[in-house]
Amino acid sequence: MLLLRDLAQVATPAGTHAPLRGADLARVDVLEDAYVLVDGDTIVAVGRMRDLGTLDGEVRELDCRGRCAVPGLVDCHTHPAFGGDRVEEFSLRAGGASYEELHAAGGGILSTVHATRAAAADGMLAARVAEHAGWMHAAGTTTWEGKSGYGLDLDTELASLRAVREHGGVPTWLGAHAVPPEFDADADAYLAFALGEVLPEAAAIAEAADVFLERGAFDAAQARRYLTACKDAGLALRLHGDQFTEQGAIPLAIELEARSVDHLEATGDAGVQALATSDVVGVLLPASALFLGRPMPPARALVDAGAGVALATDFNPGSAFTESLPLVCSLAATQLKLAPAEALAAVTVNAAHVLGRADRVGRLAPGYRADVVLLDAPDWRYLSYHLAGPVVDRVLVGGELR
């Protein structure tokens, strides 16, 4: 067993259900002068030091004075399987070029497709995913989803999914991310290939499928075709939607019983109300909005209306080159007007719900997997408060210190 003792605070989202909505999103159980007891890969007890009795058997102890414990962070939207970078594009955008203009000129997603295919052909793609997973773990992420979508051919898409799975991620097939150049902008022809040739093998590796429903990518009819086939193949459904324009992503997500619709920077009042009365979680990606200089998603309106929301990094080389969920929590507090307690739930239990894992990760409670982030701070709210600072001290993943 492992005893994390003398913690200044242990903070975890309250309750036992998921996703948390409305006032429940802001409820956090906080214990001061506390401990967390781990047996193997499982939490067996959480409490105050004064209530800790005698422990039988061999127990390792970790002195956690001056530190706080929160659940391992859950990043439910990342794009870690890519080659190359987009630093030149970043520089051009800083000079005034828009994301859509760069995409139309052959930059954006398609530039990363070329680099990712080359990395896969050279056998380097798995090493890149491993590197990116290491960055995420160092920032306190203990559970992460990873999408394909930068291969858009059979071999690279499958290599991407395998690399995500091999390095501990939850693989999502983003087969409808963009139309690759060899299909000459014919989205329907590309979908025929993707669903006929890639889906049968991708469905054996991935847990979910995702589509980019947006002007210049795939329209609602094409997204429905893709998602319906993926659902029939046994995959859970996700959507990129309302990033730049409203194109029907929220109604489609609700119709097909998707787990989430992600981005929502362009979502209006009708979309907010529709999500609030559905089981679809809105995954908010404030780092992407910041990186691209876009409006922030309507987080406060969504929460106040009763929608389920999660937060994620959107880690990718073009529009959100950050692996830091603590930074996302800071953006949630300063830009989305979410309280630190709401941000904590959104990057733990609600994000775990999106990945179908809220019964075992996302809380510090007996029976949950021993994923713990130790913060080098006297108060757990430093997770949001210390903007881009070295707030993560140690990370416990499945009972192992890293």
Side-chain angles (χ1 to χ4, degrees), residues 10 30-36 46-53:
V10 172
V30 180
L31 297 176
E32 298 190 345
D33 189 21
Y35 71 89
V36 176
V46 179
R48 292 181 172 85
M49 287 299 300
R50 67 172 182 259
D51 299 323
L52 178 64

Side-chain angles (χ1 to χ4, degrees), residues 20-113:
L20 299 177
R21 299 170 180 262
D24 286 346
L25 190 71
R27 295 193 174 107
V28 176
D29 290 333
V30 180
L31 297 176
E32 298 190 345
D33 189 21
Y35 71 89
V36 176
L37 182 63
V38 173
D39 189 355
D41 64 357
T42 303
I43 297 171
V44 293
V46 179
R48 292 181 172 85
M49 287 299 300
R50 67 172 182 259
D51 299 323
L52 178 64
T54 301
L55 300 175
D56 297 325
E58 183 178 348
V59 180
R60 291 186 299 134
E61 296 188 5
L62 184 66
D63 184 350
C64 297
R65 282 177 291 185
R67 288 161 175 77
C68 294
V70 297
L73 307 182
V74 180
D75 199 341
C76 63
H77 185 128
T78 84
H79 302 255
F82 62 85
D85 60 37
R86 302 245 285 274
V87 66
E88 177 63 20
E89 180 180 313
F90 175 77
S91 180
L92 291 172
R93 189 187 305 113
S98 73
Y99 183 76
E100 292 160 298
E101 289 169 345
L102 291 167
H103 183 82
I109 293 168
L110 293 182
S111 67
T112 299
V113 169

Side-chain angles (χ1 to χ4, degrees), residues 256-271:
L256 297 181
E257 300 178 318
R259 283 186 177 172
S260 74
V261 58
D262 304 26
H263 273 293
L264 307 182
E265 291 94 321
T267 299
D269 292 343

